[in-house]
Amino acid sequence: MAKAQTKAASVVPFDCSGRDYEPVPGDFVLKEYGADSELDTNFASQSFWKEVRKKFFHNKGAVVGLVFLCILTFFAIFGPFMTPYSYSEQSAAHNLAPRIQGIENMGIFDGSETMTTTTGSKKYNGYAEGKLYDTFYWFGTDKYGRDIWTRTWTGARVSLIIAVAATLIDMVIGMSYGLISGYFGGKTDMIMQRFVEVANGIPRLVIVTLLLLILKPGMITIIFALMLTEWIGMSRIARAEMLKLKEQEFVYASKTLDAGSFFIIFKDILPNIIGPIITQVMFSIPTAIFTEAFLSFVGLGIPVPQCSLGSLISEGYNSFTTHPYQIIPPIIVMALLMLSFNLIADGLREALDPKIKEG
């Protein structure tokens, strides 16, 4: 009996061909730890952010937007220091067309402009008329003789600071408001959402006008005005994501471990919705840039002699028919800024969307 049990334990009943098979020494070898035991690189797992970065840089539109944004940011920081003029410095020679050293002899950017009068059109060169042979204004000057190059990049810097600062503040306020409203639900959610509807129903221009009656016009006032109005969209996105995730198993697990509500909101749920939040932030920045430009255009923005892209467009608009070069640089810079942020936001949306990742 004992011999039968021993034989049965040492024999594999069937092999792949269906015959009895008895193992022999050497059939099985102990796998030593080393290079051969590493995971197959074809199936090695990648971190989430590495995957996002890879998908983002495969999006040609997003890469183009990032390149343009880097170039515009560089000029917004260093552009005003590339010429000897300041943004508020006035000169007697006003309304000078663009003139760039080194290429003015090629017939372009030589300081000439075609002016239309009642008697017809004529070519005029303010540099030659004023005998300013060693003077160069890359974007020309405005009606007060201020350098448009310096003012354009100074205005771009101001617009970027206002837009980014207002958007980041709105992100914190709107995200926190939406997460808290969606998590607690019930009467809390109802009261908070009614407040959102009331705040969204007040026109932005009314809020800014009232603020200007109380506060001094300037960058802080515009940021404060954008802060009071632009957080609503962020709060709605955060609330929608919260309603989608608060019934998940990991939330119930945290509640079982007696975790606090705010710990669950900001430690468990917030990291899972960071993708939509980042995407919404990137889409909000061009909206803030346009809003600031609109406020400055209608005279409710940055006070003179300071400037932003909106105020420069407003000034150039008044002389568009006679000196169109004054309005072109700020319009192009603002359009490229808004386009760059939109392209980057679209690329981030595709890179951060798990559904697109699965597809």
Side-chain angles (χ1 to χ4, degrees):
M1 186 68 179
K3 291 182 179 180
Q5 290 178 350
T6 303
K7 185 177 181 180
S10 61
V11 176
V12 177
F14 298 96
D15 63 0
C16 296
S17 62
R19 298 188 301 240
D20 292 345
Y21 173 74
E22 184 175 356
V24 296
D27 283 350
F28 301 99
V29 180
L30 180 64
K31 184 70 173 179
E32 298 293 339
Y33 181 79
D36 295 338
S37 63
E38 297 293 334
L39 291 174
D40 190 343
T41 55
N42 292 328
F43 299 96
S45 62
Q46 297 184 11
S47 67
F48 173 73
W49 292 109
K50 185 176 180 180
E51 182 88 10
V52 168
R53 185 170 64 252
K54 180 180 178 181
K55 293 182 66 176
F56 178 82
F57 284 103
H58 277 143
N59 189 319
K60 295 181 180 179
V63 173
V64 170
L66 183 62
V67 170
F68 273 116
L69 180 60
C70 291
I71 295 174
L72 293 172
T73 303
F74 172 82
F75 280 107
I77 297 174
F78 301 104
F81 304 107
M82 294 181 179
T83 61
Y85 314 106
S86 67
Y87 71 91
S88 59
E89 179 183 353
Q90 300 183 13
S91 64
H94 55 275
N95 291 331
L96 294 177
R99 186 186 185 206
I100 301 178
Q101 187 176 10
I103 64 174
E104 76 273 13
N105 296 326
M106 300 172 59
I108 57 174
F109 297 107
D110 58 353
S112 299
E113 60 176 321
T114 302
M115 301 186 65
T116 303
T117 63
T118 55
T119 58
S121 299
K122 67 175 182 177
K123 196 171 184 179
Y124 173 79
N125 192 314
Y127 297 90
E129 293 290 335
K131 299 181 180 180
L132 304 173
Y133 303 112
D134 296 327
T135 302
F136 299 90
Y137 290 100
W138 296 344
F139 284 172
T141 63
D142 60 10
K143 61 182 179 180
Y144 299 109
R146 296 174 296 196
D147 181 29
I148 298 179
W149 167 276
T150 306
R151 289 179 62 79
T152 297
W153 297 119
T154 302
R157 181 195 303 173
V158 171
S159 297
L160 275 174
I161 291 174
I162 291 175
V164 173
T167 302
L168 291 178
I169 295 174
D170 291 337
M171 180 193 70
V172 174
I173 297 175
M175 180 183 64
S176 302
Y177 193 94
L179 289 175
I180 293 172
S181 176
Y183 179 80
F184 289 103
K187 292 184 178 179
T188 302
D189 183 48
M190 182 185 68
I191 294 173
M192 295 179 73
Q193 291 308 304
R194 296 299 82 75
F195 178 78
V196 168
E197 293 175 0
V198 172
N200 192 40
I202 303 176
R204 183 183 298 111
L205 190 59
V206 174
I207 296 177
V208 176
T209 305
L210 293 176
L211 284 175
L212 291 175
L213 296 177
I214 302 173
L215 303 176
K216 182 180 179 180
M219 186 183 300
I220 302 300
T221 304
I222 295 179
I223 292 176
F224 190 60
L226 293 175
M227 180 187 70
L228 291 178
T229 57
E230 298 296 327
W231 60 272
I232 297 175
M234 182 70 69
S235 71
R236 288 175 173 170
I237 295 231
R239 177 177 177 270
E241 294 295 326
M242 171 61 76
L243 293 175
K244 194 164 58 174
L245 293 177
K246 73 174 184 177
E247 302 296 335
Q248 297 293 324
E249 289 78 4
F250 68 91
V251 177
Y252 286 124
S254 296
K255 291 180 179 179
T256 303
L257 296 174
D258 202 23
S261 297
F262 288 96
F263 179 89
I264 296 174
I265 292 173
F266 295 104
K267 293 292 185 180
D268 291 340
I269 297 180
L270 178 58
N272 289 279
I273 66 171
I274 197 67
I277 294 296
I278 293 176
T279 303
Q280 179 63 22
V281 167
M282 297 306 296
F283 276 118
S284 298
I285 291 178
T287 302
I289 291 175
F290 179 80
T291 303
E292 182 278 327
F294 168 75
L295 295 176
S296 298
F297 183 83
V298 298
L300 298 176
I302 301 296
V304 293
Q306 299 178 9
C307 58
S308 68
L309 293 177
S311 61
L312 290 175
I313 293 173
S314 178
E315 294 173 1
Y317 176 78
N318 296 326
S319 57
F320 174 72
T321 56
T322 55
H323 306 288
Y325 62 85
Q326 296 181 4
I327 197 175
I328 292 176
I331 283 182
I332 292 178
V333 171
M334 189 178 74
L336 289 177
L337 274 176
M338 296 179 65
L339 177 63
S340 300
F341 277 111
N342 278 308
L343 289 174
I344 293 173
D346 189 62
L348 285 174
R349 180 176 59 186
E350 294 183 4
L352 292 167
D353 193 343
K355 295 180 181 178
I356 297 179
K357 177 182 176 182
E358 291 172 0

